[in-house]
Amino acid sequence: MATVAANPAAAAAAVAAAAAVTEDREPQHEELPGLDSQWRQIENGESGRERPLRAGESWFLVEKHWYKQWEAYVQGGDQDSSTFPGCINNATLFQDEINWRLKEGLVEGEDYVLLPAAAWHYLVSWYGLEHGQPPIERKVIELPNIQKVEVYPVELLLVRHNDLGKSHTVQFSHTDSIGLVLRTARERFLVEPQEDTRLWAKNSEGSLDRLYDTHITVLDAALETGQLIIMETRKKDGTWPSAQLHVMNNNMSEEDEDFKGQPGICGLTNLGNTCFMNSALQCLSNVPQLTEYFLNNCYLEELNFRNPLGMKGEIAEAYADLVKQAWSGHHRSIVPHVFKNKVGHFASQFLGYQQHDSQELLSFLLDGLHEDLNRVKKKEYVELCDAAGRPDQEVAQEAWQNHKRRNDSVIVDTFHGLFKSTLVCPDCGNVSVTFDPFCYLSVPLPISHKRVLEVFFIPMDPRRKPEQHRLVVPKKGKISDLCVALSKHTGISPERMMVADVFSHRFYKLYQLEEPLSSILDRDDIFVYEVSGRIEAIEGSREDIVVPVYLRERTPARDYNNSYYGLMLFGHPLLVSVPRDRFTWEGLYNVLMYRLSRYVTKPNSDDEDDGDEKDDEEDKDDVPGPSTGGSLRDPEPEQAGPSSGVTNRCPFLLDNCLGTSQWPPRRRRKQLFTLQTVNSNGTSDRTTSPEEVHAQPYIAIDWEPEMKKRYYDEVEAEGYVKHDCVGYVMKKAPVRLQECIELFTTVETLEKENPWYCPSCKQHQLATKKLDLWMLPEILIIHLKRFSYTKFSREKLDTLVEFPIRDLDFSEFVIQPQNESNPELYKYDLIAVSNHYGGMRDGHYTTFACNKDSGQWHYFDDNSVSPVNENQIESKAAYVLFYQRQDVARRLLSPAGSSGAPASPACSSPPSSEFMDVN
């Protein structure tokens, strides 16, 4: 504890008290006990100098010369001796007689002796203390492996943040707590009890360090004599004067400095994709008992700075600052910049400004607050026990007690409940029952087993335009199911269909009938072609051959002399069925002209070319040369490679039938386009990998720009018609929240990736698992699992979930024997909702919340806040629901429950006009 103050005022008070004692107890020789008795009481016995030191007790310094004279006096045996020592005089131990500070370097046994409190008081009562001198009281401190009297305590200079020129010098023991330093500073500066304060220490480098933990000692905080300790007082708007101002600062503008609004009706600025954080914070801020806990400074006594699982109290303090600002009533909106930095520091996944999930942040925040405020300072090892046939009541009580032995905080008091988990082995029938705590319920939504896919159907008849279809297919179906569904619309047999994913004018993937539909994403462009054969040509078969065909246009390459040409892909690729007897370059050209006839015009007789007047033998070169000379730079993303002849003979059917890799080698009449064998990317280089060399080649139709402009109708080529089914919308029936909870408690079989080890079978099993609700918390958080993830796809379920605003009854879901006389223990009222609008890749979070003081619902959209009616709360965007148990609401309403007397969420009467000042 603080010892004798070294500043003049305190010293004078101590001197006056000592003088009063001295005057009242002026020594009378006849009243002195015998000399032998004096010696025994001072040197020996329980109160004497020889007694051992005890931590925390007081000892006093006595000047060595006076004490030696007293020893000579009592040992001389003559009470009337001239060696009578007189009043105790410690003048030689002080630097001066104003501040009464001890001289530096005093040594025990040479300059002074130490006496326990009882011995000191005996001597003062017998001999008195020199007028005006204060007693020199010092404490016994306990250091590692040693106890000693602290002769030189730590002298700290206490100042206020707004008056650094006025200081108080106060002495503290090394074993005094920082809390005592704070209390002393508050007393010296006459701080009101309701004001929040905190301490900063100025270090040797001139910077300031926060003294977070008020429970540690001056020694542990490494405070030294002469160190400046600054006490900071929180402002009325909930902010600290030391808070750094940012570009978008959270201070009120000049015209708003006198703003006074409804506490809690305060927006949060979006720092860049931080709407998820704002939504979670607004929900948590409107939990009445948690907010009252922080506003009433209950957290200060429970901050756990040494929890290895915690965050050194920093998350709890940052959240407390945010709550105090939001509920000060002095802000329309605040900037949660400090809180955002704290979260990113302790959870790297939230660093930066990417979009995240509000429920994930909420989970982190609840866990962080719990560990920072955990009342259990040293967690003991607790062994989890199975029920082993014992009654559920006994096992549940044991599990909850074990949980509380390691976890005891306001978060546990408010949000934690208890599950009953039952696992059954499918082989031996062994049943394992455990009870596990939970902080929120993540409930699944009933999922439709159907999905809607949009596809384009390309008929073989060139006169028919492509058709857009919207198909309802099974989610876990196969490609063949898609063909069957399309067959019902078109009348074309599924066996005559091929399904392809078209991307960037080329075939990204050609699907096999047995592949799962889950491999098709909603954003994929799916084309279904009518064919009369197959791509995998089989020798000896009489089936048509299906040839993949790309469209390319020859364009000037971007080169310094523009002398080279590139080939760019355009339009939609085709799957063309070619009869075997027409499988020649000439036959393929004619087949393609027929397939393209809807948007490619045939040249008339006037367009015929006279051709080349060379001998027929010259038209029969063994190996054709490249159609263009030279080399090109790498193609663009949608650009095919340069046109070059393929000199390697492919052993497969197409090359063997056609004999060459391009056509025509010599033109005798004008052709609209040339043909080229290419790889699946649409480039002519088929030798880049062994897989390409031994694969069936694709065909590219290469157009000259002038020929394409003259004979190719791009508008007609891109045209399509919509089938009547495109207007079909699969209606999603709304579901009740109770259905989601029923689904949550339904028996399920564990997945292969998460088997259970059966202690009876001694092996991992795909056991059946059932979760039941045993004990519900004061605040029940229900997370609607709207985001679905599979190996091939991710989707958001925008099903409307109907949830009650009040009287959500859980009595049918709680299996613990119920107290029928108090139904409020199982009924809940809604107090907040976190909403998510948008899809998987992007979206926006907002909040509906009921103000604990006014009972009015408000809509929080980042820094904008507006009042709403209850009928606006339920929507497809509802993502996380916060419910308050009715008995808790009633308790908070009672006068003893809360100084703020929060209103019931059920109260929907509009607030008075003075509380409607919102953005």
Side-chain angles (χ1 to χ4, degrees):
M1 62 182 292
T3 55
V4 174
N7 67 322
V15 169
V21 171
T22 305
E23 291 174 3
D24 292 342
R25 297 181 179 178
E26 190 67 30
Q28 301 294 329
H29 292 272
E30 62 274 16
E31 296 178 2
L32 291 176
L35 299 180
D36 291 339
S37 176
Q38 290 186 44
W39 178 261
R40 286 194 303 272
Q41 292 183 60
I42 300 302
E43 285 289 334
N44 304 315
E46 180 61 26
S47 62
R49 286 181 59 202
E50 302 302 322
R51 54 157 297 186
L53 299 177
R54 299 188 184 97
E57 66 181 5
S58 295
W59 285 59
F60 291 79
L61 276 69
V62 177
E63 197 265 337
K64 175 68 178 298
H65 175 75
W66 184 91
Y67 191 79
K68 284 295 182 183
Q69 188 171 353
W70 172 81
E71 282 187 332
Y73 170 66
V74 294
Q75 290 176 350
D78 182 4
Q79 287 190 341
D80 296 325
S81 171
S82 60
T83 59
F84 181 77
C87 291
I88 301 173
N89 190 350
N90 291 327
T92 59
L93 302 181
F94 295 108
Q95 286 184 355
D96 56 69
E97 296 186 359
I98 299 175
N99 294 320
W100 301 102
R101 182 176 287 114
L102 287 184
K103 293 179 179 178
E104 297 293 333
L106 298 179
V107 179
E108 182 183 3
E110 295 182 7
D111 302 300
Y112 63 87
V113 295
L114 289 169
L115 296 178
W120 165 259
H121 291 306
Y122 283 140
L123 289 180
V124 171
S125 65
W126 298 335
Y127 300 95
L129 181 60
E130 188 69 28
H131 181 74
Q133 287 186 8
I136 308 175
E137 180 182 2
R138 295 296 184 262
K139 293 290 184 180
V140 177
I141 61 173
E142 188 169 8
L143 301 176
N145 303 320
I146 188 175
Q147 289 183 336
K148 60 176 290 188
V149 176
E150 184 183 37
V151 176
Y152 292 100
V154 179
E155 293 185 355
L156 300 177
L157 278 66
L158 306 181
V159 298
R160 295 195 76 167
H161 71 276
N162 55 356
D163 189 7
L164 300 180
K166 182 180 180 181
S167 66
H168 290 267
T169 302
V170 183
Q171 293 182 344
F172 293 94
S173 167
H174 285 87
T175 58
D176 286 340
S177 69
I178 299 299
L180 177 64
V181 179
L182 179 60
R183 290 193 297 274
T184 303
R186 290 177 64 94
E187 292 172 0
R188 291 298 173 92
F189 297 115
L190 305 176
V191 176
E192 295 294 331
Q194 68 274 15
E195 294 185 272
D196 291 349
T197 54
R198 62 184 185 182
L199 296 179
W200 297 80
K202 188 175 182 179
N203 58 32
S204 58
E205 298 175 354
S207 59
L208 299 177
D209 299 324
R210 265 286 312 279
L211 298 176
Y212 287 97
D213 192 352
T214 58
H215 296 95
I216 63 173
T217 63
V218 171
L219 179 65
D220 292 334
L223 299 184
E224 300 175 348
T225 292
Q227 195 162 0
L228 188 67
I229 304 299
I230 302 172
M231 186 188 72
E232 182 183 19
T233 305
R234 192 192 297 270
K235 297 193 294 185
K236 291 182 179 180
D237 65 357
T239 61
W240 294 101
S242 62
Q244 296 295 319
L245 299 181
H246 304 281
V247 175
M248 294 183 301
N249 62 74
N250 60 351
N251 281 351
M252 295 174 288
S253 58
E254 291 183 7
E255 64 271 21
D256 289 334
E257 61 184 8
D258 296 326
F259 172 76
K260 181 63 177 177
Q262 171 71 38
I265 311 304
C266 177
L268 296 172
T269 299
N270 192 325
L271 305 175
N273 283 330
T274 58
C275 57
F276 73 97
M277 180 183 77
N278 294 347
S279 178
L281 287 173
Q282 294 288 14
C283 287
L284 214 53
S285 173
N286 283 279
V287 174
Q289 56 267 57
L290 185 64
T291 295
E292 289 293 334
Y293 171 86
F294 282 100
L295 292 179
N296 294 330
N297 288 338
C298 301
Y299 73 99
L300 292 175
E301 293 301 317
E302 297 183 347
L303 284 170
N304 191 334
F305 296 96
R306 301 184 181 184
N307 186 353
L309 300 178
M311 292 144 203
K312 302 178 182 178
E314 294 185 35
I315 286 292
E317 288 207 324
Y319 179 74
D321 288 346
L322 209 63
V323 168
K324 286 177 178 289
Q325 293 176 47
W327 288 84
S328 68
H330 289 279
H331 298 284
R332 286 188 171 91
S333 67
I334 57 179
V335 182
H337 198 282
V338 174
F339 182 83
K340 169 71 171 63
N341 290 340
K342 292 291 185 185
V343 169
H345 175 72
F346 291 104
S348 59
Q349 67 267 32
F350 296 116
L351 277 173
Y353 296 93
Q354 299 297 317
Q355 183 64 277
H356 292 282
D357 190 316
S358 67
Q359 188 274 332
E360 291 179 2
L361 178 83
L362 186 65
S363 176
F364 161 78
L365 183 54
L366 288 173
D367 185 62
L369 290 175
H370 160 63
E371 295 297 353
D372 272 0
L373 300 168
N374 199 344
R375 302 174 186 116
V376 180
K377 306 305 180 185
K378 186 176 180 181
K379 295 191 177 185
E380 56 182 301
Y381 172 75
V382 175
E383 186 175 355
L384 299 179
C385 299
D386 195 83
R390 293 180 293 161
D392 285 350
Q393 194 78 28
E394 176 185 338
V395 181
Q397 185 176 0
E398 177 186 90
W400 185 249
Q401 289 175 348
N402 287 340
H403 178 59
K404 293 278 284 185
R405 284 162 64 185
R406 293 175 55 85
N407 305 278
D408 185 14
S409 70
V410 66
I411 302 300
V412 175
D413 299 340
T414 308
F415 298 98
H416 282 207
L418 205 61
F419 281 139
K420 177 186 178 182
S421 175
T422 306
L423 290 163
V424 180
C425 177
D427 286 354
C428 67
N430 178 45
V431 178
S432 171
V433 175
T434 57
F435 287 82
D436 306 301
F438 68 88
C439 192
Y440 51 85
L441 298 182
S442 288
V443 299
L445 273 63
I447 300 175
S448 171
H449 297 293
K450 301 287 185 179
R451 65 180 291 199
V452 175
L453 284 179
E454 287 191 0
V455 302
F456 286 92
F457 175 65
I458 314 297
M460 288 181 64
D461 185 349
R463 295 168 298 181
R464 294 174 57 189
K465 290 184 178 182
E467 299 172 357
Q468 184 184 17
H469 290 258
R470 181 171 288 173
L471 307 175
V472 179
V473 296
K475 277 190 175 180
K476 296 185 178 180
K478 300 178 180 179
I479 298 297
S480 58
D481 295 313
L482 184 152
C483 296
V484 171
L486 184 59
S487 175
K488 295 177 182 178
H489 293 183
T490 62
I492 305 299
S493 171
E495 287 76 19
R496 292 173 60 85
M497 296 180 183
M498 291 194 68
V499 182
D501 182 357
V502 175
F503 176 73
S504 190
H505 311 295
R506 55 174 64 89
F507 290 119
Y508 183 78
K509 181 179 177 66
L510 294 173
Y511 291 99
Q512 301 297 318
L513 293 176
E514 295 303 312
E515 289 191 65
L517 280 174
S518 57
S519 59
I520 296 179
L521 306 181
D522 290 336
R523 64 177 182 271
D524 292 342
D525 292 324
I526 302 300
F527 284 66
V528 182
Y529 296 85
E530 180 187 359
V531 296
S532 60
R534 53 192 299 168
I535 287 185
E536 301 84 2
I538 302 175
E539 294 207 37
S541 172
R542 304 177 72 93
E543 286 184 318
D544 291 352
I545 301 172
V546 178
V547 181
V549 178
Y550 291 154
L551 299 174
R552 305 193 298 183
E553 180 182 5
R554 196 182 306 279
T555 58
R558 289 175 294 202
D559 202 88
Y560 64 92
N561 59 6
N562 289 327
S563 60
Y564 299 130
Y565 289 83
L567 289 161
M568 300 292 292
L569 289 167
F570 72 93
H572 298 305
L574 298 172
L575 289 178
V576 180
S577 300
V578 183
R580 285 176 180 272
D581 57 359
R582 301 184 64 183
F583 209 77
T584 63
W585 282 118
E586 185 81 31
L588 184 57
Y589 178 85
N590 293 329
V591 169
L592 291 175
M593 281 296 295
Y594 174 71
R595 284 298 301 271
L596 301 175
S597 60
R598 184 171 56 84
Y599 46 90
V600 172
T601 306
K602 274 191 175 185
N604 56 35
S605 57
D606 295 337
D607 294 330
E608 296 285 345
D609 196 323
D610 292 338
D612 206 341
E613 298 297 334
K614 294 190 177 182
D615 295 337
D616 291 343
E617 288 78 7
E618 293 180 359
D619 295 339
K620 300 177 181 177
D621 295 343
D622 289 332
V623 179
S627 57
T628 60
S631 61
L632 291 175
R633 61 172 64 184
D634 292 338
E636 296 297 322
E638 291 192 6
Q639 175 178 324
S643 176
S644 60
V646 179
T647 57
N648 290 25
R649 295 297 300 274
C650 177
F652 284 82
L653 185 59
L654 184 58
D655 281 336
N656 290 341
C657 290
L658 297 178
T660 63
S661 60
Q662 66 181 30
W663 181 87
R666 293 288 185 270
R667 290 187 295 174
R668 297 190 57 83
R669 50 179 286 177
K670 180 179 287 294
Q671 303 294 337
L672 298 188
F673 47 78
T674 60
L675 302 179
Q676 172 82 37
T677 56
V678 295
N679 59 21
S680 60
N681 285 327
T683 63
S684 298
D685 183 8
R686 296 181 58 238
T687 61
T688 55
S689 67
E691 292 79 5
E692 290 284 2
V693 173
H694 295 293
Q696 180 72 289
Y698 290 40
I699 295 294
I701 299 175
D702 293 341
W703 290 82
E704 294 292 339
E706 283 301 318
M707 299 296 285
K708 177 174 177 285
K709 183 177 180 181
R710 186 173 181 181
Y711 295 105
Y712 187 89
D713 187 344
E714 290 195 37
V715 175
E716 182 64 25
E718 294 294 326
Y720 67 93
V721 295
K722 292 185 177 182
H723 190 270
D724 293 341
C725 64
V726 173
Y728 169 79
V729 177
M730 191 167 66
K731 294 182 179 179
K732 296 182 179 178
V735 299
R736 296 167 58 246
L737 179 60
Q738 288 85 341
E739 295 178 53
C740 300
I741 299 170
E742 286 175 3
L743 198 58
F744 174 79
T745 57
T746 301
V747 177
E748 62 177 353
T749 302
L750 298 179
E751 298 178 351
K752 292 182 180 179
E753 297 80 11
N754 187 30
W756 169 64
Y757 182 78
C758 176
S760 179
C761 298
K762 306 297 184 185
Q763 59 182 350
H764 289 88
Q765 299 283 4
L766 299 182
T768 59
K769 180 179 181 180
K770 188 177 190 308
L771 290 176
D772 290 296
L773 300 177
W774 181 266
M775 184 180 72
L776 297 178
E778 294 184 354
I779 300 295
L780 180 61
I781 302 176
I782 302 178
H783 165 224
L784 303 177
K785 298 172 71 173
R786 289 196 177 276
F787 299 106
S788 173
Y789 302 89
T790 66
K791 183 178 181 181
F792 298 101
S793 66
R794 302 186 304 166
E795 65 174 330
K796 181 191 173 185
L797 307 175
D798 59 353
T799 307
L800 175 63
V801 178
E802 298 175 339
F803 50 88
I805 303 297
R806 53 181 67 79
D807 292 331
L808 174 61
D809 193 351
F810 270 87
S811 58
E812 61 178 301
F813 301 110
V814 176
I815 64 171
Q816 181 184 14
Q818 299 182 15
N819 181 1
E820 296 182 359
S821 63
N822 193 0
E824 287 184 335
L825 293 175
Y826 313 102
K827 288 187 177 181
Y828 286 80
D829 294 332
L830 189 71
I831 58 172
V833 180
S834 174
N835 305 301
H836 179 266
Y837 300 91
M840 293 291 299
R841 295 178 176 273
D842 53 13
H844 183 59
Y845 288 92
T846 64
T847 299
F848 289 114
C850 179
N851 185 274
K852 69 180 182 66
D853 296 332
S854 68
Q856 169 70 32
W857 281 90
H858 286 82
Y859 181 63
F860 297 83
D861 185 359
D862 289 334
N863 61 344
S864 174
V865 187
S866 56
V868 293
N869 297 321
E870 288 186 3
N871 56 13
Q872 298 176 258
I873 297 171
E874 186 179 279
S875 73
K876 293 182 179 181
Y879 182 45
V880 183
L881 311 175
F882 283 67
Y883 277 95
Q884 183 181 51
R885 211 169 61 205
Q886 289 184 350
D887 69 307
V888 177
R890 184 166 48 81
R891 185 187 74 213
L892 294 175
L893 275 172
S894 65
S898 169
S899 58
S904 169
C907 176
S908 58
S909 58
S912 58
S913 58
E914 63 179 307
F915 293 146
M916 294 295 288
D917 189 1
V918 293
N919 292 338

